[in-house]
Amino acid sequence: MLNELIRSLTPKVAAFRRDIHAHPELAFNETRTADKVAEYLERIGLTVHRGLAKTGVVASLSGGTSPRSIGLRADMDALPLQELNSFPHHSKYPGKMHACGHDGHTALLLGAAEALVQTKNFDGTVVFIFQPAEEGDGGGRVMVEEGLFERFPMDMVFGLHNWPGLPAGSFGVTEGPVMAGTDRFEITLTGRGGHAAMPHQAIDTILAGSALVQALQSLVSRNTDPQEAAVVSVTRFHAGHADNVLPETALLGGTVRSLTPELQEKLEDGMHRICSGIAATFRVQVELDYTHGYPPTINAADPTFIAREVARQVADGAPVFTHLKPSMGAEDFAYLAQVVQGCYVWLGNGAGEGGCMLHSPHYDFNDEIIGTGIRYWVRLVEKALAVSG
Ligand code: NI
């Protein structure tokens, strides 16, 4: 019955997905996409709430009498990237592309909402969350700040991302950290500019900066448990203009990645400590500007247990991986999972054209996994909000 229903919905969901793919919109500007999403939800009889995080769309569906509630989240934004595909549904907008499959995530969740409206085989409330600006601008964080969980109380929240490289229709459901926390830093060194031939009369920021770059590498190699993952990358180092002048200032910047909030904090503390040490050693002024980006995405035990059981049920012979290595990329589902316990799964997208990864100009969401994706969402709701008795 469910399989038949999903089979009948799939062509419509695929067409919707391709339309969104052809009309990609960037962070907080997903107006056409949000209109289409709202239209779809209204057409299947749901009340739509708009305006959270500017372009966010939320709708809920209740069955039975239980006060239990879960959230299902999809992301709607595209990337500032020129698409190099030539199939008919390629991007119509220059310099914008759905290269991360958020078109697919959005379509899948709409298909699931439609199936759930028809089957309603659950006891509780399911909240459908369509968030803007996942790709770096923290649309999920803004939705939380603007009261997502106050307006739509939830006991658990679930996310799904397609994953190229995993076999089509397979799942990755791993408890604990699955995506990294990502921080940025900028360090300004101020010394005393002077003649390159009289270094004793100057305070050399290039030497101090070079020592700093080296010392920062000890944060991972000497201060982090070798069994834990962390990255410190200095990606910018700007100083000086002439061969005979020692520059007064130097500027360094880069990124820090880690998989737990504890380590994230420890790396920030360590960076402050090393900066102070370099300042004392080389008599420079060191100003560190450290910015927290997305926190690590951490899958909680209970929702992960449910997600894993459901993935096994719907994978239809495709593998369900339960111990995948986390990705050092980041995901703003993390902000939702910080407030209520959550689980974020990977749905295999297959090898893809030429085996291309997310954010490739050749990427496309695989429409063949739509059925599995919808089935996953529906069965997840039926399990998390199971009708008792
Ligand atoms: Ni993505």
Side-chain angles (χ1 to χ4, degrees):
M1 150 76 179
L2 179 65
N3 284 351
E4 245 164 70
L5 172 59
I6 290 175
R7 218 169 300 130
S8 71
L9 289 174
T10 301
K12 182 169 69 170
V13 172
F16 186 96
R17 200 283 291 178
R18 290 175 181 218
D19 176 69
I20 298 293
H21 188 94
H23 303 91
E25 297 173 304
L26 302 184
F28 297 118
N29 288 295
E30 306 89 342
T31 48
R32 181 187 183 277
T33 309
D35 285 347
K36 294 268 170 195
V37 167
E39 246 170 56
Y40 195 113
L41 293 168
E42 275 163 5
R43 199 174 344 108
I44 60 172
L46 299 183
T47 304
V48 173
H49 305 267
R50 302 188 64 172
L52 267 181
K54 204 173 165 195
T55 45
V57 183
V58 184
S60 63
L61 173 68
S62 294
T65 53
S66 168
R68 291 174 303 174
S69 174
I70 63 166
L72 312 181
R73 169 279 208 171
D75 36 16
M76 300 189 292
D77 58 319
L79 285 156
L81 185 73
Q82 182 62 44
E83 177 156 9
L84 295 180
N85 292 314
S86 54
F87 44 59
H89 62 279
H90 72 83
S91 172
K92 305 288 176 280
Y93 302 153
K96 297 177 193 173
M97 177 186 174
H98 269 293
C100 204
H102 299 185
D103 49 344
H105 307 158
T106 298
L108 276 188
L109 191 53
L110 288 169
E114 182 161 7
L116 283 161
V117 164
Q118 295 198 33
T119 58
K120 258 203 184 173
N121 184 24
F122 62 94
D123 187 16
T125 298
V126 51
V127 182
F128 305 101
I129 307 161
F130 297 86
Q131 75 147 87
E134 192 288 316
E135 298 286 1
D137 287 357
R141 174 177 50 77
V142 180
M143 285 187 102
V144 171
E145 285 169 0
E146 293 185 3
L148 175 68
F149 290 112
E150 287 76 30
R151 289 179 61 183
F152 306 93
M154 291 166 229
D155 307 315
M156 289 190 265
V157 65
F158 295 88
L160 171 154
H161 206 293
N162 79 95
W163 212 255
L166 289 185
S170 69
F171 283 87
V173 190
T174 304
E175 190 181 326
V178 286
M179 304 285 288
T182 166
D183 297 337
R184 275 193 302 271
F185 63 89
E186 186 161 277
I187 302 171
T188 310
L189 300 157
T190 309
R192 192 187 310 133
H195 200 298
M198 303 163 204
H200 59 295
Q201 291 174 351
I203 296 177
D204 184 359
T205 51
I206 290 184
L207 181 64
S210 305
L212 180 56
V213 171
Q214 300 229 8
L216 288 176
Q217 288 312 311
S218 71
L219 284 171
V220 175
S221 67
R222 302 291 97 174
N223 290 266
T224 302
D225 182 336
Q227 309 269 2
E228 281 193 70
V231 181
V232 175
S233 287
V234 178
T235 56
R236 293 182 286 133
F237 189 160
H238 301 294
H241 300 283
D243 291 343
N244 56 357
V245 178
L246 291 169
E248 174 117 346
T249 60
L251 186 84
L252 285 77
T255 184
V256 178
R257 310 259 164 149
S258 56
L259 292 173
T260 63
E262 296 76 28
L263 183 53
Q264 201 173 17
E265 202 173 307
K266 201 170 147 198
L267 289 165
E268 180 181 1
D269 288 350
M271 191 168 284
H272 278 285
R273 191 182 67 238
I274 288 172
C275 284
S276 307
I278 291 290
T281 306
F282 293 90
R283 295 176 300 145
V284 289
Q285 261 181 358
V286 183
E287 198 188 309
L288 168 60
D289 185 6
Y290 196 95
T291 316
H292 287 276
Y294 292 179
T297 302
I298 298 171
N299 283 344
D302 289 349
T304 305
F305 178 80
I306 296 171
R308 193 187 300 131
E309 296 291 299
V310 172
R312 283 183 179 137
Q313 186 190 345
V314 305
D316 195 23
V320 175
F321 303 100
T322 56
H323 290 85
L324 290 178
K325 274 191 219 167
S327 159
M328 295 313 276
E331 166 57 65
D332 90 341
F333 179 78
Y335 289 107
L336 279 67
Q338 272 185 330
V339 185
V340 299
Q341 48 177 348
C343 178
Y344 174 85
V345 304
W346 292 341
L347 172 59
N349 199 54
E353 200 180 328
C356 65
M357 266 311 287
L358 299 170
H359 298 203
S360 156
H362 301 284
Y363 168 85
D364 193 27
F365 183 85
N366 183 353
D367 284 338
E368 281 173 21
I369 64 175
I370 285 176
T372 306
I374 294 177
R375 203 171 304 120
Y376 170 74
W377 280 137
V378 172
R379 293 297 189 208
L380 185 79
V381 172
E382 291 175 354
K383 184 158 181 80
L385 303 174
V387 179
S388 57

